[in-house]
Amino acid sequence: MKRRRRGSAAEPGCLRAWAAESQALAGRWRAAWCSGVGGAAAREVRRQRGDLGKLLLRMWGLPAALPALPLELTVLYNSLLFTVGASDSAIEGEAEGIRQGLLRVLEACGACGQDLSTEELWQKVLQEVTVKELQAPLQRLGALQAAWWLAASRLGSTAGLFRLLSNAEDLGRACCSEGENELLSLLKAWQVPAERASPPLVQSAEDLKEILCTSAAFLQGLQELEAGNFHTALSLLREAAGGFCSKRVLAQIYTCLSCCAQRMGKPQTALQHLKRALQVDFQCLPALSHMAAVYHELGETEAELQALALLYEALGKNPPAAASSSPYFLIRTELLVHTPILASLLRHRHPSEVKYLLAQRCLQDGRVADAVEHYLDFLALLQEGLQQQVPLDSGSALPRIPEVFLEAASALEQAGRHQDAITMCEEVISRTTDLIPRMLRLEERLEQPECPSPGAGLASGLLSQKKESLCCLAWRAAGYLHQGWAWAELGESKEAVTQFSRCLGDLLRVQLSGSGVEPTESLLPEVEVLQKIRLLSLIGRGAQFLELGRHKEALLDFQHGLQISPGDPAAASYLAQALWKLNRKQEAAAHWQKLSQSVPGEDGQQGRPFPLYLASCLKQAMFPHGESLARSVQDYLRTTSRDPLS
């Protein structure tokens, strides 16, 4: 390429002054870093960014000249490093300083490239500029450009740049054909230029290469994990774990390895990776969260609860944000790898979520006393005005708050604290009363329209509103249901009947239109829950009618319950008992024999699981007199077989 200078180039005196100033700045940085005081080093990073930026602007104030370019590109390299280090946040956007530096290289060589993209600019510079003194600074600047592109997940651009930097395209293709990762092969094949730079580099190109290799492996491993290519992801994440990174990042990589192993159906391997993560960095709290999830999958409830308790304790002691790495490494892996899947995998649980999970798991495992304690602790946080601390994103483990109240009521009932359960449910009832329309008409399945239309947005909004109304109705009805069973346990049958009747009255607000009896799996989940609440309320009210001697009314409730859920064993058993008490013993015996001969699983209990807050009601609705009724029926059948006329 023909060289041509334009304008007045920098004088030798300017060049020496710039070099001396750069040397002094580098020395100042080295002294701050060697002091070992994090605050001093962090302040020096911010000062260096400002001072180097000012120096660079003075250099750019003169026309580009070949003698000054090696120093100028080195100053640019250091300046960009301090820009990243001062922000201490993920790299985003384009490095405009790099583009400006490349344009000045072309300007000094008598060419231009204003209309070229950054990729095209790099190709032009590396293919056409052959000045020996510029090769090492350009190589280092190219590695810095790769950091920006990796941070933007521009893997193709990064690979293309390193083909130009190392002229290793043939090697890259050969490695790729052998099943190796092309980008990693190109990064490893890149020959780091010898460091004869004056002033010194504030982060060596060798360190930068290692960080690029680790980041590329980590980033691609995450992409393969998200795509479901678990074996490839495992290989790349293992490569990253053996790379150059801080303990914090290494713990994150082990956590991602555990997620990969778990999705491959290897929970024990996942646990080993999580233990390694915590050994490397005990502040890697997402590892504890994932460990609890793995123990839950394995059914090891004790270990799961221990992990959740440790996580809750750790969250109370330490803020989720861990201390940053040494400021010496101005560009670090954590600044290059910041994808949505990583944020999702490393999501920090809020203390309120962990407290809820402890309550939920204890309730599910029958540890009623512990469940009550955890639920009351969680609800106390809400009463203290800390609602803003409750996470509302889609990844949260928390259900809707009324459901938490109902779950707490369920735990209180199982603990024998029936009055407290009644009070808890009253809170739900009072807060949902004004949110339910007097009448709610809807399809049993409420299907979304497949083809978008001008009115699709309005239809979707109405559907969402109806679902919200259904949820509120379910919570209010469940509140009355719990109160009914609680009064029944207290021996107050009349008050229990009143609450069950209020529950059933609320459910009459829903008018379903459809083809009749729908298969359970095709019903809208909210409708299915309402049907279950209606069934449990009918069984509860019928049982209390039996206690009050109102056998005919009890029989009607049980018959209605079997219309809602044909074959339900509790409703069928209570129906047989009601018939027996009405002295319709032959019918009772026939019903009991039919129930005894039914195959388990034909009782309509299959399908989607019901909300946890209905667990206690499901237990309370179970028929408690099965053995005594069976003996009475058998005695009756033996008697009638001996005396057919009786």
Side-chain angles (χ1 to χ4, degrees):
M1 172 181 282
K2 182 180 178 181
R3 301 177 192 169
R4 177 170 56 87
R5 296 186 184 182
R6 299 174 59 194
S8 177
E11 296 293 332
C14 285
L15 200 56
R16 285 193 296 271
W18 292 340
E21 185 177 352
S22 302
Q23 190 81 30
L25 289 172
R28 199 175 75 193
W29 162 247
R30 193 182 305 109
W33 175 73
C34 290
S35 71
V37 181
R43 286 191 297 272
E44 185 58 34
V45 168
R46 292 190 290 271
R47 288 179 60 191
Q48 291 276 346
R49 176 186 61 177
D51 292 345
L52 280 171
K54 293 174 184 177
L55 174 59
L56 197 58
L57 286 176
R58 291 201 301 273
M59 299 175 81
W60 284 353
L62 295 175
L66 286 174
L69 277 177
L71 174 63
E72 184 179 318
L73 293 178
T74 302
V75 171
L76 174 59
Y77 176 88
N78 285 344
S79 175
L80 287 169
L81 285 171
F82 281 118
T83 299
V84 172
S87 66
D88 198 29
S89 59
I91 296 174
E92 295 180 353
E94 283 283 358
E96 288 300 326
I98 294 178
R99 179 178 178 85
Q100 183 66 21
L102 295 178
L103 289 172
R104 285 179 63 81
V105 169
L106 290 178
E107 179 188 347
C109 296
C112 64
Q114 294 285 355
D115 297 331
L116 300 177
S117 67
T118 304
E119 290 179 70
E120 293 168 338
L121 204 54
W122 270 110
Q123 185 173 0
K124 184 177 181 66
V125 168
L126 292 175
Q127 289 179 347
E128 298 183 13
V129 176
T130 58
V131 180
K132 184 178 179 181
E133 293 79 8
L134 293 180
Q135 297 309 304
L138 285 172
Q139 289 275 323
R140 288 191 289 268
L141 202 60
L144 210 51
Q145 176 70 77
W148 255 266
W149 281 345
L150 273 182
S153 299
R154 293 175 59 180
L155 304 182
S157 299
T158 307
L161 177 58
F162 273 94
R163 288 193 197 98
L164 293 169
L165 289 173
S166 60
N167 197 22
E169 187 167 354
D170 293 337
L171 173 63
R173 286 175 177 170
C175 292
C176 190
S177 65
E178 294 169 10
E180 297 182 23
N181 184 273
E182 182 188 14
L183 178 55
L184 288 178
S185 299
L186 288 166
L187 286 168
K188 292 175 182 178
W190 177 54
Q191 297 294 317
V192 178
E195 293 198 8
R196 301 190 187 93
S198 180
L201 304 176
V202 295
Q203 184 168 340
S204 73
E206 186 64 46
D207 286 345
L208 185 54
K209 174 183 175 178
E210 293 297 326
I211 289 168
L212 290 175
C213 287
T214 303
S215 301
F218 193 8
L219 180 62
Q220 291 180 101
L222 289 169
Q223 290 179 342
E224 296 295 340
L225 176 59
E226 188 172 23
N229 302 323
F230 301 128
H231 290 286
T232 306
L234 205 61
S235 174
L236 287 164
L237 291 172
R238 283 173 178 163
E239 176 87 23
F244 189 71
C245 61
S246 64
K247 289 183 177 181
R248 176 187 175 188
V249 172
L250 182 57
Q252 292 177 355
I253 295 171
Y254 279 126
T255 303
C256 294
L257 276 166
S258 77
C259 295
C260 189
Q262 188 177 6
R263 295 180 188 185
M264 294 172 74
K266 299 179 179 180
Q268 294 296 342
T269 305
L271 285 176
Q272 293 302 315
H273 287 308
L274 291 169
K275 289 175 183 177
R276 289 288 301 276
L278 291 169
Q279 288 169 357
V280 169
D281 180 11
F282 67 93
Q283 289 190 16
C284 186
L285 301 188
L288 264 179
S289 181
H290 284 287
M291 188 174 283
V294 175
Y295 281 131
H296 180 69
E297 180 185 326
L298 291 171
E300 298 183 21
T301 306
E302 189 65 41
E304 179 192 3
L305 291 174
Q306 287 179 5
L308 288 172
L310 285 172
L311 178 58
Y312 184 75
E313 183 181 356
L315 287 170
K317 291 180 178 178
N318 300 307
S324 62
S325 308
S326 167
Y328 172 67
F329 298 112
L330 298 166
I331 282 194
R332 307 183 295 278
T333 302
E334 50 263 55
L335 303 183
L336 305 186
V337 184
H338 51 93
T339 62
I341 183 176
L342 181 62
S344 174
L345 294 176
L346 299 179
R347 180 184 180 276
H348 282 274
R349 293 284 186 194
H350 190 275
S352 61
E353 289 182 272
V354 182
K355 177 58 73 173
Y356 170 74
L357 284 173
L358 281 165
Q360 181 196 60
R361 299 293 187 258
C362 286
L363 183 58
Q364 290 172 332
D365 195 53
R367 305 179 188 217
V368 177
D370 291 337
V372 168
E373 180 182 350
H374 290 308
Y375 275 116
L376 294 181
D377 286 345
F378 174 81
L379 294 174
L381 294 176
L382 300 183
Q383 297 299 324
E384 290 169 8
L386 300 180
Q387 290 95 329
Q388 66 273 17
Q389 295 189 18
V390 177
L392 299 176
D393 57 279
S394 59
S396 173
L398 291 174
R400 302 286 291 276
I401 296 302
E403 294 189 21
V404 181
F405 273 80
L406 291 170
E407 288 176 18
S410 180
L412 287 165
E413 283 182 65
Q414 294 179 61
R417 296 172 59 175
H418 305 299
Q419 285 289 356
D420 291 334
I422 291 169
T423 303
M424 190 72 68
C425 291
E426 194 59 42
E427 185 76 15
V428 177
I429 293 167
S430 63
R431 289 179 179 269
T432 54
T433 297
D434 296 333
L435 304 176
I436 305 170
R438 291 186 177 181
M439 194 61 64
L440 188 60
R441 297 180 178 85
L442 66 156
E443 295 285 339
E444 287 179 331
R445 284 176 285 183
L446 282 179
E447 295 176 348
Q448 291 273 15
E450 295 182 4
C451 301
S453 63
L458 178 61
S460 178
L462 289 172
L463 173 60
S464 178
Q465 184 179 351
K466 285 186 175 182
K467 283 190 174 184
E468 183 66 13
S469 297
L470 279 176
C471 287
C472 292
L473 180 59
W475 298 329
R476 178 179 158 96
Y480 284 132
L481 176 67
H482 277 287
Q483 288 186 332
W485 284 112
W487 283 116
E489 292 292 337
L490 290 169
E492 300 287 343
S493 295
K494 289 184 178 179
E495 186 62 35
V497 167
T498 299
Q499 300 307 317
F500 286 130
S501 297
R502 286 175 177 170
C503 173
L504 293 168
D506 261 3
L507 295 175
L508 290 176
R509 299 184 185 207
V510 180
Q511 290 188 353
L512 293 176
S513 59
S515 58
V517 178
E518 291 283 349
T520 302
E521 62 274 7
S522 70
L523 288 176
L524 194 69
E526 293 83 358
V527 173
E528 192 177 343
V529 170
L530 290 177
Q531 287 190 345
K532 194 66 178 181
I533 291 173
R534 180 181 282 112
L535 171 65
L536 294 172
S537 193
L538 286 166
I539 291 174
R541 190 173 71 172
Q544 295 311 300
F545 279 147
L546 289 178
E547 291 290 327
L548 294 169
R550 297 160 63 177
H551 301 148
K552 289 184 179 179
E553 292 167 279
L555 180 63
L556 289 174
D557 275 349
F558 300 138
Q559 288 174 334
H560 190 189
L562 285 172
Q563 289 176 358
I564 295 170
S565 181
D568 181 83
S573 300
Y574 271 113
L575 176 67
Q577 187 186 36
L579 289 169
W580 188 266
K581 288 182 177 291
L582 287 167
N583 206 29
R584 294 163 60 176
K585 296 185 177 181
Q586 187 173 356
E587 293 177 69
H591 276 285
W592 187 258
Q593 284 181 309
K594 181 180 179 182
L595 178 63
S596 302
Q597 294 168 1
S598 64
V599 178
E602 291 184 351
D603 51 23
Q605 302 299 312
Q606 305 300 316
R608 287 184 289 255
F610 291 106
L612 180 59
Y613 62 77
L614 291 180
S616 62
C617 298
L618 290 167
K619 292 178 182 177
Q620 289 164 312
M622 294 174 65
F623 185 64
H625 311 298
E627 292 184 5
S628 61
L629 182 59
R631 284 195 299 271
S632 298
V633 169
Q634 288 167 1
D635 290 344
Y636 169 76
L637 291 174
R638 279 195 295 270
T639 302
T640 55
S641 64
R642 289 195 299 268
D643 186 7
L645 297 178
S646 63

